[in-house]
Amino acid sequence: MKCAVISVGTELLMGQITDTNAVYISRQLNMLGIDVLYRYTVGDNDGRLREILGLAAEDCDLIITTGGLGPTEDDMTKETVSDFLGEKLVEDEEAKHILMEMQQARKHRFTTNNYKQYLLPEHATVFQTEIGTAPGFAVEKNGTTVICLPGPPYEMTEMFRRCVYPYLAKQQDSVIYYKVLRIFGKGESLVETKLMDLIDAQTDPTIATYAKMAECSVRVASKRRTLEEAKNAVEAMVRKIRERLGDNIYSEEDEDLVQVVGRKLIDRHITISCAESCTGGLFAGNLTDVPGISDVFERGIVTYTCRAKIEELGVREDTLERETAVSPEVARQMAEGLQKKTGSDVCVSVTGIAGPGGGTPEKPVGLIYIGCRYRGKTLVKKLLTPNFSREWNRKYAVLMMLDTVNRLIDGRPVMQENFTDPEGKDIPLE
Amino acid sequence: MKCAVISVGTELLMGQITDTNAVYISRQLNMLGIDVLYRYTVGDNDGRLREILGLAAEDCDLIITTGGLGPTEDDMTKETVSDFLGEKLVEDEEAKHILMEMQQARKHRFTTNNYKQYLLPEHATVFQTEIGTAPGFAVEKNGTTVICLPGPPYEMTEMFRRCVYPYLAKQQDSVIYYKVLRIFGKGESLVETKLMDLIDAQTDPTIATYAKMAECSVRVASKRRTLEEAKNAVEAMVRKIRERLGDNIYSEEDEDLVQVVGRKLIDRHITISCAESCTGGLFAGNLTDVPGISDVFERGIVTYTCRAKIEELGVREDTLERETAVSPEVARQMAEGLQKKTGSDVCVSVTGIAGPGGGTPEKPVGLIYIGCRYRGKTLVKKLLTPNFSREWNRKYAVLMMLDTVNRLIDGRPVMQENFTDPEGKDIPLE
C-alpha cells in the first residue's frame, strides 16, 4: 500500500503552526508497513486541494488528509474530497447524536456552524471519539481509499489510534520493522564514519543517521514478509552497531533520554532532587513529564538568584563573591546543599550562562557547570556549548544533566569528553 | 513570486522527526510577501525528488529545499538539484577554506565525507555560516530560482536569517502584512461565532481562526502594494475584533502567553516566585525561557511530595491530611508560604492531578487548583481540564497560571469561567 499524506490549512503554509500531524501519521503508517511516498501541504483552497488529490491518486492507493473538518467557514476538506470522489454529503444521524450530547455535556452552546459537522459522505466509514467535535471518515472509491481526519493534533491522534489504525491494520501484506538508536555525546559525522562499511553494504536492513539538537540517531529498518523476519534482520544489525557505539547509545527504542532516566529511577527506587539555575526548572519540568515519577522525584529548587542559592541550598556567600555563581565550586555546593536538605539519593545541580546576555571573556555565554551528588561523592562537570541560542544552551544543559545521572546510577564512567567541547574536563569524583 | 517548499528526508516520511524547517521558511516567506502554494516532503530518493522538482517548477518561480546537504551517503539533494538544473558540481575554494577552518576550530576531525560538502553548482550563490558544515546555495536558471538549505533546524534558520532573507528581499513587488491575535479562555467555535459577520464579509483583509492546545488564534492578513496600505487594512480590522473579544486577546503579535507575561514582569519590575506540584517545574522552566527574566524571577520550588510542601512552604500537615494535597486550601498555603519565604511581589502556586493515575471519583485526573498571592491578597482558582493527556493537563495548568498572573498584575478581573469547565468557580480575593 502506497500512501500520500495531505495536510490542509492556510495556517500551515503561512507558518502559523507546525505540522505535527503529518509526523504522527507517517510514524503510524510506517509501523503498519505502509510506505509514505509523499507529503503535501495545501491551503484551504478548493482548487489546489483538488489538484493535489488528483496527483496523489496517480501514485498512491491510500490518501490521508488532516485539517479542514472544523465547524468554521474556511473548513472545506470534506466538501472537496466528497466532490472529488463523486460522493454526496448526507446528514449522519449517529454523528449528529454524539455531537449534540458532547456539546451538552460540556455545557457548550451548539453553535450554528456545528451543524455542518455531521454532514458526511454517504458511503463513508465514520470515525468519532469524544475528543473534539469534528468526525473523521474513510471512503473507498475505484481502488483509492481517502481518509479525512481533523486538524487539531489531540483530536487527530486520538482518532487515529482508536479508529484509523485498526481500520488499516486489516489490509497489510508486508511489514516494516525498525529500531531507532538514540545517541548522545557523538556527532552525526563521527557516528557515520564509525558505521561507514555497514552503511556502504546496506540493502535490507537500511541504516540512516540523523542529527538532532545536540543528539543524533541511527534508524535501522527492514521490510519483510513477516514481522519476525524483519525483526531478526534489524536485531542482527543493531548488535553490530552496538559494538561500535557502545554506551553512547542511550536508547534502542527511540525514547527520549528523559524517559530512559525517569524509568530507571522509578524501577530502581532511586530518589532524585534537583537544583537549577540557568535551566530555570526545565530539568524538573522535563523529568516530571514521565508518568509515575512522583514515586521518586522528591523536590526541585530553581535558585535563579544568589540569595536563593544561599537560602535554599546553603551556598556560601564568600564562594559566590570569589568564584561567581557560574563556577564548579558553586555547582558542587548546590548539589551538596540539596542533598543535606532533601536526603535524595541523587542530587543534581546546574549553574551556567544561558544567554543571550551575561557573558564575559572569562565566562562566556554557554559556560555551564553540572554538579551531581550520589553515593557520598560529588562530581562536577564543565560544559562549553557552541551557544547557538538561549534555548539550545538550556536544552543541552538538561540533556547533559540527564546523561550524567544516567551514567552515575548505572555505575558507568561519566563522559570525560564533551560533544561540543573536547577540552571540557570533568573534575573527578572525590 | 510563487514558491514551493520541498523538505527532503526519509526520516521525515518515516515520522522520525518533525518538520519545523518548512514552518519557519513559510513564515519568513510570508513576511516577504511570497506566497507559498505548496509544501512537499519526499524521501532521500533521486527519482521522486526530481519528479517533485518538475511539478513545483510548473507553478512556482521559487523552489526552496531543505535537507540532504550533509556529509553522509544518503544526502543527495545537491546532486539531484544540480542535475535537474543542468549544473555541474565544482569545488568551491571559499567553501572549502571555511569548512576546514571550522572543523579545526572545533578540534573535529575532517572526515572523508566532509569533502563532499564543498562541491557546489558552478553558478551558485553560496550561503555559509559558522554554524554547521553544510553550505547552502541559490541557483537561477530559466526563470526558476532553486535554493537549497541544510536540514538541521539550527543550521537552516541561521542561514535563512543571515543569507536567504536578504537575498530574497531585493526581489519583491507586493507585500503581505498580517497580525495573529492570540486568545486564551474561549474556544474556536465561540470565537468564530462572535466574528461571523466579519468573516462572511471578508475579501481583504482575510480572517481565519485556528485551534491550538487549549488556545485559539485569529489571523488577519492583507496583501497590498505597499506595507503601509496592508498595515492600515489589518489594523482597522483588528480594532473591530478587539471590540468583540476584549481581554481574551492576550497578544496581537503572535507571542506566547509566557512571553507576554514575562515581558510585563520585567518592564514593571514585578518580582515573581512559583511553587509547583503537578506541573513539576514547567511553569518555572517556561518563564525562564524569556530572556532577561533573571531580573525579576526570584525562585521556583517544585514541591512534588507532601514533605516538600511542608518543609519548603510551611503547608500545614493537618491540612494535607484533612483536605489532601489537591485542594484549594493547600494551593492557598503554598502561595502564602512562598510569599513569606521569598517576599516576591507575585507568588503563584499550583497543585493538581496530572494523571494518568492518581484520580478518584471526588478528585478526578485533571482537577487543578491555582493559588496566587499578590498585593496582600490570595486568589485561589479551580480548574477541571478535559483531561486529554498528562501533557495536556500540565500545559493547560501552566497557561492558566500565566493568565491568572497576567490579569492580576494588570488589575483586571481573573476569569470566573473556565474554558473547559463552566462551573469551575474562583474563590474570590479575600
Side-chain angles (χ1 to χ4, degrees), chain B residues 107-402:
Chain B
K107 303 198 168 59
H108 278 187
R109 265 186 297 151
F110 199 87
T111 51
T112 327
N113 46 19
N114 281 135
Y115 283 104
K116 191 179 145 189
Q117 299 195 275
Y118 55 80
L119 287 173
L120 291 161
E122 56 181 333
H123 299 102
T125 305
V126 177
F127 304 136
Q128 206 157 12
T129 71
E130 63 273 18
I131 293 178
T133 54
F137 59 88
V139 187
E140 205 258 305
K141 207 103 184 208
N142 311 324
T144 304
T145 302
V146 181
I147 296 178
C148 295
L149 302 174
Y154 46 95
E155 296 182 27
M156 192 286 297
T157 51
E158 186 67 7
M159 191 175 287
F160 201 100
R161 192 176 66 79
R162 284 174 42 187
C163 311
V164 182
Y165 194 99
Y167 175 89
L168 291 171
K170 290 183 206 152
Q171 313 174 17
Q172 306 320 309
D173 62 356
S174 80
V175 185
I176 292 181
Y177 180 79
Y178 69 87
K179 277 203 156 178
V180 174
L181 313 184
R182 299 279 293 261
I183 293 147
F184 181 72
K186 286 199 191 309
E188 192 196 1
S189 287
L190 192 59
V191 166
E192 209 205 33
T193 303
K194 287 200 172 221
L195 304 180
M196 191 51 85
D197 57 318
L198 299 177
I199 293 171
D200 279 345
Q202 71 182 345
T203 48
D204 181 306
T206 56
I207 304 168
T209 60
Y210 306 108
K212 269 189 88 166
M213 187 185 256
E215 284 189 72
C216 128
S217 60
V218 177
R219 176 172 52 79
V220 183
S222 173
K223 185 171 185 175
R224 302 285 171 106
R225 214 179 31 86
T226 69
L227 183 62
E228 209 196 336
E229 282 175 38
K231 252 186 178 168
N232 289 341
V234 167
E235 289 299 345
M237 183 59 76
V238 166
R239 273 193 297 275
K240 287 185 197 170
I241 295 173
R242 212 183 284 137
E243 281 166 20
R244 316 230 179 148
L245 299 178
D247 75 352
N248 282 104
I249 301 171
Y250 66 78
S251 168
E252 297 186 357
E253 308 292 338
D254 198 16
E255 291 164 303
D256 289 334
L257 186 51
V258 68
Q259 295 292 332
V260 172
V261 174
R263 210 190 42 242
K264 275 189 198 171
L265 293 167
I266 296 168
D267 289 350
R268 302 182 194 169
H269 308 291
I270 300 172
T271 58
I272 184 166
S273 290
C274 58
E276 302 177 68
S277 187
C278 59
T279 54
L282 219 53
F283 179 87
N286 275 335
L287 190 59
T288 56
D289 220 9
V290 178
I293 198 72
S294 57
D295 289 350
V296 295
F297 184 76
E298 155 68 22
R299 206 174 307 189
I301 321 243
V302 185
T303 53
Y304 228 54
T305 58
C306 282
R307 191 187 130 208
K309 288 184 185 76
I310 295 166
E311 287 182 12
E312 294 289 344
L313 302 168
V315 173
R316 288 195 306 270
E317 209 165 342
D318 60 324
T319 310
L320 285 165
E321 267 166 31
R322 201 177 52 241
E323 322 236 339
T324 80
V326 180
S327 61
E329 188 51 30
V330 167
R332 173 192 306 281
Q333 289 181 20
M334 286 171 73
E336 291 176 354
L338 185 65
Q339 211 277 332
K340 257 184 225 141
K341 186 176 206 176
T342 63
S344 296
D345 298 329
V346 177
C347 285
V348 61
S349 70
V350 63
T351 178
I353 304 161
T360 64
E362 299 79 44
K363 308 222 165 176
V365 173
L367 177 66
I368 290 161
Y369 293 96
I370 290 168
C372 195
R373 182 88 186 159
Y374 182 60
R375 297 204 165 158
K377 292 180 178 179
T378 309
L379 175 132
V380 178
K381 189 169 168 60
K382 177 190 172 188
L383 294 180
L384 191 61
T385 80
N387 185 27
F388 296 138
S389 70
R390 177 181 177 86
E391 190 200 356
W392 205 99
N393 292 337
R394 284 159 45 95
K395 278 207 185 167
Y396 189 64
V398 168
L399 284 174
M400 191 56 92
M401 290 167 81
L402 288 168

Side-chain angles (χ1 to χ4, degrees), chain A residues 12-15 26-27 30 39 41 72-73 192 200 210 280 284-285 288 299-300 302 311-312 341 390 394, chain B residues 12-15 26-27 30 39 41 72-73 192 200 280 284-285 288 299-300 302 311-312 341 390 394:
Chain A
L12 293 165
L13 291 179
M14 303 275 278
S26 298
R27 192 173 301 180
N30 206 257
R39 285 206 316 238
T41 309
T72 66
E73 295 233 326
E192 208 204 34
D200 279 345
Y210 306 108
T288 55
R299 207 174 306 189
V302 185
E311 288 182 11
E312 295 288 344
K341 185 175 206 177
R390 176 181 178 87
R394 284 160 44 96
Chain B
L12 293 166
L13 290 179
M14 303 276 277
S26 298
R27 193 173 300 181
N30 205 258
R39 285 205 316 237
T41 309
T72 67
E73 295 233 326
E192 209 205 33
D200 279 345
T288 56
R299 206 174 307 189
V302 185
E311 287 182 12
E312 294 289 344
K341 186 176 206 176
R390 177 181 177 86
R394 284 159 45 95

